Amino acid sequence: LAIDHLAVNSAANKNAIREAGAIAPLVALLQAGAGSKAATNAAGALWNLATSNDTNKNAICEAGAIAPLVALLQAGAGSEAATNAAGALCNLAISNDTNRNAICEAGAIAPLVVLLQAGAGSKAATIAAAALWSLANSNDTNRNAIREAGAIAPLVVLLQAGAGSEAATNAAGALWSLAYSNDTNKNAICEAGAIAPLVALLQAGAGSKAATNAAGALWNLATSNDTNKNAICEAGAIAPL
């Protein structure tokens, strides 16, 4: 827990913790499982250590963290360990293709999709949506795997929470990534009823991250897809855009 707190918002501390050799023992603590406070805190520490630090991301992956983090996801949305593991996996995947592939291959997508089912009031669901967003970014294999795991419908449900919801914001971001250059996903997202709640998020205005993500999702849904273009127009998107 002390390492977790030291790593928050301090790039120098994140580097110092890695250089002191903390990553390997933190990964070892994950093995104790979701019922262990030590494993829960270790996952939280790795979440913070991986934030905006490429060297730490690589070191955490090389230390073998991905498999035990994925195992912690199985504890479900009521588990702090699962929530922290989802956050760690999210940060490990950001702007790192090697880690994205490794996380997908370790079986993370299915349990992340299960976490979405807890709804917008759940921190686990909120972080799982962010993790799926990270995994889908710039990776068409993961985009297909996420759709095949059934993520689109629960992501669309999260949109209903509105622009003030981090869960809705992350869900819109995930749909933005899933719709990029993927016709099957574009059609599935439209068929799942995403357009109306995405248009509703636009109403929050230019200062809203939710509105920005919704605009990105609508842009990708409309690209080279006349059916979606018409549906987006009919849903009233033009005025708020």
Side-chain angles (χ1 to χ4, degrees), residues 121-185:
S122 161
K123 183 177 180 182
T126 299
I127 302 305
L132 291 168
W133 180 6
S134 296
L135 290 168
N137 194 37
S138 303
N139 191 308
D140 206 49
T141 299
N142 286 0
R143 290 185 192 118
N144 289 328
I146 290 166
R147 179 194 71 250
E148 291 164 2
I152 289 173
L155 286 170
V156 171
V157 171
L158 292 179
L159 299 177
Q160 310 283 350
S165 161
E166 186 181 358
T169 300
N170 291 346
L175 293 169
W176 182 0
S177 287
L178 288 167
Y180 180 78
S181 296
N182 189 307
D183 291 335
T184 304
N185 282 1

Side-chain angles (χ1 to χ4, degrees), residues 176 179 186 213-224 232 241:
W176 182 0
K186 288 177 189 176
N213 290 352
L218 291 167
W219 179 11
N220 282 347
L221 289 170
T223 301
S224 304
I232 290 165
L241 284 170

Side-chain angles (χ1 to χ4, degrees), residues 162-165 168-169 172-173 176 197-218 240-241:
S165 161
T169 300
W176 182 0
L198 286 169
V199 171
L201 291 178
L202 297 178
Q203 309 290 343
S208 163
K209 187 174 180 182
T212 300
N213 290 352
L218 291 167
L241 284 170

Side-chain angles (χ1 to χ4, degrees), residues 41-54:
N41 290 342
L46 293 170
W47 183 358
N48 283 323
L49 288 168
T51 303
S52 302
N53 190 307
D54 291 336

